[in-house]
Amino acid sequence: MASVYLNSCPLLPVDRPYGFPHLVEGGDKLKCALEANEGRPKLHVADGVATVLHSYSPQVLNTFLDLRCNSFSFIRHETNMSTYNLYIERESDLVTCGFFKADGQWDFKCVYRIRPSGMWIPKSGLGTMFGMGITLIAKDDEEGDEKDGMDMGDFGQFFASSLILNEKWKYLPGVTITTSYGEGTRTIVAESDSRPDSTA
């Protein structure tokens, strides 16, 4: 999957292994890579989150990666597609992200811990399949516990590719994006494809 990594952010080198965040090139190149490799090696949730935040604003990604900023959130609400509201939150070194519905119920949720090295370690998750809730587990979590459930990595692949292929950083009619970190909160109701750090 390294063929789709972008070397456009010094903080996210392309030669770091699976589990570290990378910027990913979307579009046909990603589709072809996923098909050619039959979905493996997998995209990581960290790749999807990093690509969305950097594409939205490199400054926002830098803030997310800076663990000295204790709290961070990025919420993308779509009034015309309530199943795919996007939520990304970091509290200290704990990241929670996923899709939630208009009623606040999670459609997909995963929790990771960021190690000092920058690697994301899966902690827990939940998702839906055929309308039923399922528990997502980290088969390779740092505790090494044996658990019952579906592998977080498999759902993480879907989540990350969905974020990138559907360009979840873009402004579209009916979209509201709220970013919050430190003591600041900024909400943008999408009227155009401008970026929060662009100049008028």
Side-chain angles (χ1 to χ4, degrees):
M1 197 60 71
S3 63
V4 299
Y5 292 161
L6 295 172
N7 196 22
S8 53
C9 179
L11 295 175
L12 305 178
V14 298
D15 58 352
R16 301 190 97 179
Y18 179 81
F20 287 86
H22 306 88
L23 298 185
V24 176
E25 182 176 353
D28 290 340
K29 187 167 185 178
L30 177 57
K31 289 179 183 178
C32 290
L34 291 171
E35 292 171 0
N37 292 279
E38 297 182 348
R40 298 179 183 277
K42 295 181 288 191
L43 287 179
H44 196 279
V45 166
D47 301 331
V49 168
T51 301
V52 165
L53 296 181
H54 184 271
S55 299
Y56 176 73
S57 164
Q59 179 183 347
V60 169
L61 173 63
N62 291 345
T63 303
F64 173 81
L65 294 174
D66 185 357
L67 298 187
R68 294 173 298 180
C69 178
N70 285 329
S71 62
F72 173 97
S73 69
F74 175 98
I75 301 172
R76 185 182 192 271
H77 181 261
E78 299 188 41
T79 58
N80 59 343
M81 197 179 293
S82 61
T83 302
Y84 293 103
N85 296 322
L86 171 62
Y87 182 87
I88 300 170
E89 178 192 67
R90 179 179 59 72
E91 288 291 337
S92 186
D93 61 352
L94 201 66
V95 178
T96 303
C97 54
F99 293 130
F100 66 95
K101 301 177 183 179
D103 60 4
Q105 296 296 310
W106 289 99
D107 188 66
F108 168 78
K109 176 185 177 183
C110 54
V111 180
Y112 286 79
R113 188 172 301 281
I114 304 176
R115 284 181 170 171
S117 65
M119 186 177 224
W120 289 34
I121 303 300
K123 302 300 294 181
S124 64
L126 58 87
T128 57
M129 181 176 286
F130 307 116
M132 299 178 62
I134 57 174
T135 299
L136 305 180
I137 62 162
K139 291 184 179 177
D140 55 350
D141 69 5
E142 56 190 348
E143 285 83 15
D145 296 333
E146 290 293 328
K147 306 170 186 175
D148 293 324
M150 185 168 286
D151 185 12
M152 279 178 68
D154 293 335
F155 265 72
Q157 163 89 338
F158 163 76
F159 179 67
S161 59
S162 177
L163 293 183
I164 298 167
L165 292 174
N166 290 296
E167 299 180 325
K168 289 296 185 179
W169 56 86
K170 280 195 170 182
Y171 294 99
L172 298 170
V175 169
T176 301
I177 295 177
T178 302
T179 56
S180 177
Y181 40 87
E183 297 179 354
T185 299
R186 177 163 187 161
T187 300
I188 298 177
V189 178
E191 298 290 347
S192 66
D193 194 27
S194 59
R195 296 290 185 269
D197 50 356
S198 63
T199 56

